[in-house]
Amino acid sequence: MAARPHVARRILVYWMDAVIAFVAIASLINLLTLLALKQVTPAQALVAGVLQLLVYAGFPWTLRAAFDNKPAPVALLALMTAASLAVTLLFPADGYGAASWDILPWFMLSAVGLFLRLRVTLAIGAVMVGLFTVVMHLRTGEAWWWLLTLSTIMAVVMVYGMWLWLWLWRTIREAYESKEAKASLAVAEERLRFSRDLHDLLGRSLVLLSLRSELAAKLGSAEEMLQVHRLAGEALSQLHVTATGLSALDLEEELDQARAALAGVGADCLVQARTAELPAASRALLAWVVREGTTNILKHSSATRCHIRLDAGRLEIRNDGVRHAAQAGGSGLHGLAERISVAGGSLDAHPVGRDEFLLTATVPA
């Protein structure tokens, strides 16, 4: 039922229509019985039948308006209320429940309650129970406490039953909307992951391409052009890795590539790393940090020295030549910080001293 809201709505509404139709038929049979027993005249039976059918026929419209969160059909509810009051007050009853129209006030209370707050419905219900008890006591002579008890039970059952019906529908609809929201969120998260991986994988390669091509243009070196060609091939390979979702990195390989990339732009890079004791998930996270940290050094500094130190799940990347003292990293570091935080670690990046920058990442060891 919850798979498709419109199917659930149709089932619930049609089921309630069937219940109302059953009650209407039962009321008609009761009215014909009263007519056969000559407790009502044919004219009274005709008028009472028309008024009851008016109430029962209008009820499905009010139910659909409530299901669809539409404004209350005030005119229809007023007409139904007038009809139920008329048939209840104008026609005799030998005892509570002897006439088919005794149930109409509680039908109307349940219909009106679909569009009112709980406090308002309770207030109206209390007034109706009191008035109905007094009227029926005067007309039938039955004990007032008995009439009060039956009226209260009828009011509570009818109103609660109708609210329960509406609550069931809204629960089904909200469950489906929640399912759709989760699916949309999953798509958004996957797009974010893809863009983040694309940035992390290609950022360093594109920066190196830019630097190498600039150097080749200045020197006219065939060797530099070969390096540009190699880097372009690596970038294409990394793009393929991202597109296929195989974005796991090797920590040792990233450390070696970081040393080589920095050496290629004239920076001395000292790497001190103990990686053997780290779990695979932590190694993968730190590999991303090394890649992103190296990319930021190439993009945002004119580094001549870099020190990468890894021990017991704590990685430090320190470099000089910072161009902007207030720089705290790009969007890649923010994405990595989110990943590492989810894994139970932390990431911090901030300037140190006059021209140095320190990137620190801690992962579970």
Side-chain angles (χ1 to χ4, degrees), residues 120 134 176 212 233 255 276 308 334:
V120 179
V134 172
Y176 183 81
R212 289 284 187 176
L255 290 170
I308 301 177
H334 292 296

Side-chain angles (χ1 to χ4, degrees), residues 164-281:
L164 184 62
W165 207 256
L166 184 60
W167 172 84
L168 178 61
W169 155 241
R170 289 177 175 172
T171 301
I172 293 174
R173 184 179 60 190
E174 290 172 2
Y176 183 81
E177 291 174 351
S178 175
K179 182 179 178 181
E180 285 190 326
K182 288 181 179 179
S184 300
L185 181 60
V187 172
E189 289 179 347
E190 180 61 20
R191 289 175 177 172
L192 179 61
R193 182 203 66 79
F194 182 82
S195 63
R196 189 166 52 204
D197 288 357
L198 190 64
H199 173 275
D200 295 343
L201 281 168
L202 296 183
R204 186 182 64 183
S205 297
L206 294 177
V207 171
L208 286 174
L209 273 172
S210 176
L211 294 175
R212 289 284 187 176
S213 60
E214 182 180 354
L215 184 59
K218 291 180 178 179
L219 300 179
S221 169
E223 182 179 353
E224 292 295 334
M225 290 305 300
L226 289 175
Q227 290 294 330
V228 170
H229 177 73
R230 180 184 63 81
L231 290 171
E234 290 181 358
L236 289 174
S237 177
Q238 291 162 354
L239 180 61
H240 174 71
V241 167
T242 304
T244 55
L246 304 175
S247 54
L249 300 180
D250 181 76
L251 179 56
E252 286 79 6
E253 182 180 345
E254 289 302 317
L255 290 170
D256 291 339
Q257 290 185 1
R259 183 189 297 109
L262 292 169
V265 295
D268 293 330
C269 183
L270 174 61
V271 177
Q272 296 175 312
R274 295 172 53 191
T275 63
E277 70 277 9
L278 291 174

Side-chain angles (χ1 to χ4, degrees), residues 47 79 84 144 172 314 317 347:
V47 175
L79 180 61
S84 64
W144 66 267
I172 293 174
R314 179 179 174 85
I317 303 177
L347 184 143

